[in-house]
């Protein structure tokens, strides 16, 4: 049974909690902040409900100490003296929620249930660092951190778990929007249903609708057999549209229709089909601004912007940096020999002063590179090579220039043709991947005819 720790200096309040909730929870009590700290270590409660104004150590002081020792324990502050200053301070110090007396029992149950879901999410996703990372598989990904921003995000995921309403996840590139979408799925009623990811930014405009809604045989040149679209494949499941702001306006209208009444048609067919899909969308762009400029449908924005999770950039949750570094070390440190297991204070200080424009993805790549470069079991400041934001614009030119240098300095007699051939093959492979191997569509995407494409294929 779930254990609640009730911390209040008034005996009548503690008794009232026991009388009201003892059939649903195991109740433990403490009279002040000092007793609360001891009781948390002794009883290991699932949720703490704590008064603010108590003799001796008050609730805010106890909250700070408990959160340092047990960062993922949800603590709900309960007080009869409601004021904005104490409420803001409590939330800033890591309180899960703030409830004023007198409270409605059903509302309190809902707050407790939400806190339990949030706590379970953190445990299952390994939020924070600890011994659970010692045996982590390389492929395992999880939300990491114990900052108020991360805890608030986990709280929102818990609140959205039981709903089928659309979710919009916003945040800069590299913050972990797909990982957050998977966390929403993991705790939803559709977790056992199909789940698919569509990156709208990677799809050419002419292929978006066939990817999302499918097509019939003969719908267009090259459509030799029927294709089932993502919305149809995800019936009774969840579809994640990453970078939804990149959808063409025409496709946006069709997505809106699916969200409104669950109906659509495959390309080349007038037959109306139905599907039951929960949509999770993500974007790194300002969709409101796009709607104002006529680049995104306002009605679609209203439809997907029902439940919103905004992921803060890494620079705004820099206190999570040590946890994140240890997490990436646990994932990748054993891939080299000897294994890399730690980081020096100077290296941590260097990383802490970086602005991280690429967010978590940039940090992950930095640590992976540092692990390869490391000469010892502990990363040094020299191992952690950081890229200035101004350098990224010249990356393509630098790569091409480097390849040209290799060709000229080597034995290659025709470097011009060799380089063009390499780039050409990369383009062809990318186009064929995007078109599921359909040569006609790939040729149209590249702006060449099918015969030209066939001649340039490696097997030709």
């Amino acid at each position: 049974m779930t254990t609640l720790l009730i911390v209040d200096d008034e005996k009548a309040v503690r008794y009232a909690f026991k009388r009201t909730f003892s059939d649903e929870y195991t109740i433990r009590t403490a009279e002040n902040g000092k007793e609360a700290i001891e009781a948390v270590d002794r009883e290991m409660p699932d949720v703490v409900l704590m008064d603010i104004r108590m003799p001796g150590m008050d609730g805010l002081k106890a909250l700070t100490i408990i959160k340092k020792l047990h960062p993922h324990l949800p603590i709900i502050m309960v007080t009869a003296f409601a004021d904005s200053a104490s409420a803001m301070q409590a939330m800033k110090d890591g309180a899960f929620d703030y409830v004023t007396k007198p409270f409605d029992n059903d509302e309190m149950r809902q707050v407790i249930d939400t806190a339990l879901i949030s706590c379970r999410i953190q445990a299952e996703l390994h939020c924070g660092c600890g011994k659970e990372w010692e045996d982590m598989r390389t492929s395992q990904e999880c939300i990491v951190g114990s900052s108020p921003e991360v805890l608030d995000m986990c709280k929102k995921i818990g609140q959205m778990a039981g709903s089928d309403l659309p979710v919009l996840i916003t945040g800069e590139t590299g913050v972990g929007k797909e990982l957050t979408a998977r966390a929403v799925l993991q705790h939803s009623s559709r977790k056992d249903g199909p789940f698919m990811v569509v990156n709208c930014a990677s799809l050419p405009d002419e292929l978006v609708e066939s990817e999302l809604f499918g097509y019939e045989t003969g719908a267009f040149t090259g459509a030799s057999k029927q294709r089932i679209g993502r919305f149809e494949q995800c019936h009774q499941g969840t579809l994640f549209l990453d970078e939804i702001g990149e959808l063409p306006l025409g496709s946006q209208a069709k997505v809106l229709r699916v969200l409104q009444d669950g109906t659509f048609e495959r390309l080349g067919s007038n037959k109306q089909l139905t599907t039951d899909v929960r949509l999770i969308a993500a974007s790194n762009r300002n969709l409101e601004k796009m709607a104002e400029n006529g680049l995104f449908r306002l009605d679609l924005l209203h439809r997907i912007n029902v439940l919103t999770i905004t992921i803060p950039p890494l620079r705004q949750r820099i206190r999570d940096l040590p946890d994140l570094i240890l997490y990436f070390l646990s994932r990748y440190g054993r891939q080299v020999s000897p294994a890399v297991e730690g980081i020096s204070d100077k290296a941590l200080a260097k990383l802490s002063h970086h602005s991280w424009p690429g967010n978590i993805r940039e940090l992950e790549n930095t640590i992976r590179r540092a692990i390869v470069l490391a000469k010892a079991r502990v990363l040094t400041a020299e191992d952690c090579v950081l890229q200035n934001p101004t350098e990224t614009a010249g990356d393509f030119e630098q790569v091409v220039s480097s390849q040209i240098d290799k060709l000229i300095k080597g034995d290659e007699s025709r470097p011009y043709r060799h380089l063009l051939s390499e780039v050409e093959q990369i383009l062809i492979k990318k186009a064929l991947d995007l078109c599921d191997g359909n040569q006609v569509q790939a040729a149209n995407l590249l702006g060449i005819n099918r015969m030209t494409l066939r001649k340039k294929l490696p097997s030709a």
Side-chain angles (χ1 to χ4, degrees), residues 114-148:
T114 303
L116 289 168
I117 293 173
S118 175
C119 184
R120 187 176 70 248
I121 290 172
Q122 293 174 47
E124 292 178 6
L125 296 176
H126 305 285
C127 292
C129 72
K131 294 181 179 179
E132 64 266 29
W133 290 351
E134 292 179 359
D135 299 317
M136 177 165 290
R137 299 184 300 272
T138 302
S139 61
Q140 189 172 353
E141 292 185 323
C142 54
I143 296 174
V144 177
S146 56
S147 65

Side-chain angles (χ1 to χ4, degrees), residues 328-428:
F328 289 128
L329 284 174
S330 69
R331 283 193 72 189
Y332 305 117
R334 298 176 189 174
Q335 295 179 2
V336 297
S337 182
V340 177
E341 300 172 340
I343 184 169
S344 69
D345 291 341
K346 287 186 178 180
L348 181 58
K350 178 180 180 179
L351 297 180
S352 297
H353 287 92
H354 186 56
S355 60
W356 300 109
N359 294 293
I360 308 298
R361 187 179 299 135
E362 181 187 357
L363 174 63
E364 180 178 11
N365 291 336
T366 299
I367 298 301
R368 294 188 73 174
R369 180 169 56 243
I371 288 171
V372 174
L373 297 175
K375 300 178 179 64
R377 291 181 176 271
V378 175
L379 297 182
T380 65
E382 291 72 26
D383 299 328
C384 301
V385 180
L386 298 174
Q387 188 176 45
N388 294 323
T390 54
E391 293 177 357
T392 56
D395 278 354
F396 179 74
E397 182 178 347
Q398 289 174 11
V399 170
V400 174
S401 178
S402 174
Q403 189 65 12
I404 291 172
D405 288 342
K406 290 180 182 179
L407 291 172
I408 292 176
K409 291 177 182 178
D411 297 330
E412 178 60 46
S413 59
R414 305 172 73 184
Y416 175 78
R417 289 186 178 278
H418 187 91
L419 183 62
L420 288 183
S421 177
E422 282 190 355
V423 174
E424 197 172 63
Q425 290 304 312
I426 294 172
L427 278 171
I428 290 172

Side-chain angles (χ1 to χ4, degrees), residues 2-170:
T2 298
T3 300
L4 304 184
L5 174 62
I6 311 300
V7 186
D8 200 297
D9 59 316
E10 295 185 27
K11 185 176 181 179
V13 173
R14 299 195 301 273
Y15 174 75
F17 266 103
K18 279 188 175 182
R19 184 184 60 190
T20 305
F21 297 106
S22 60
D23 291 339
E24 305 164 67
Y25 311 105
T26 299
I27 305 296
R28 299 289 183 263
T29 62
E31 296 185 15
N32 54 53
K34 184 178 179 181
E35 287 188 10
I37 297 169
E38 295 171 352
V40 166
D41 290 334
R42 183 178 63 252
E43 304 291 348
M44 298 300 292
D46 299 293
V47 178
V48 176
L49 294 95
M50 183 159 55
D51 192 15
I52 289 183
R53 298 192 182 185
M54 296 181 291
M57 183 184 293
D58 65 17
L60 291 178
K61 178 65 175 176
L63 168 67
T64 303
I65 295 173
I66 293 173
K67 292 304 288 186
K68 286 182 179 179
L69 298 172
H70 307 274
H72 308 307
L73 176 63
I75 301 177
I76 301 167
M77 306 306 292
V78 185
T79 182
F81 304 95
D83 66 87
S84 59
S86 60
M88 286 187 291
Q89 186 62 45
M91 300 306 287
K92 180 181 177 182
D93 291 341
F96 179 82
D97 213 333
Y98 185 98
V99 179
T100 58
K101 304 173 186 175
F103 52 81
D104 180 81
N105 290 338
D106 289 335
E107 290 180 3
M108 178 59 78
R109 287 187 182 91
Q110 185 174 358
V111 173
I112 293 171
D113 289 344
T114 303
L116 289 168
I117 293 173
S118 175
C119 184
R120 187 176 70 248
I121 290 172
Q122 293 174 47
E124 292 178 6
L125 296 176
H126 305 285
C127 292
C129 72
K131 294 181 179 179
E132 64 266 29
W133 290 351
E134 292 179 359
D135 299 317
M136 177 165 290
R137 299 184 300 272
T138 302
S139 61
Q140 189 172 353
E141 292 185 323
C142 54
I143 296 174
V144 177
S146 56
S147 65
E149 293 83 2
V150 169
L151 297 180
D152 182 61
M153 186 168 68
C154 288
K155 176 181 175 180
K156 286 185 176 180
I157 292 172
Q159 292 171 328
M160 299 172 184
S163 172
D164 275 340
L165 293 172
V167 177
L168 177 62
I169 303 171
T170 61

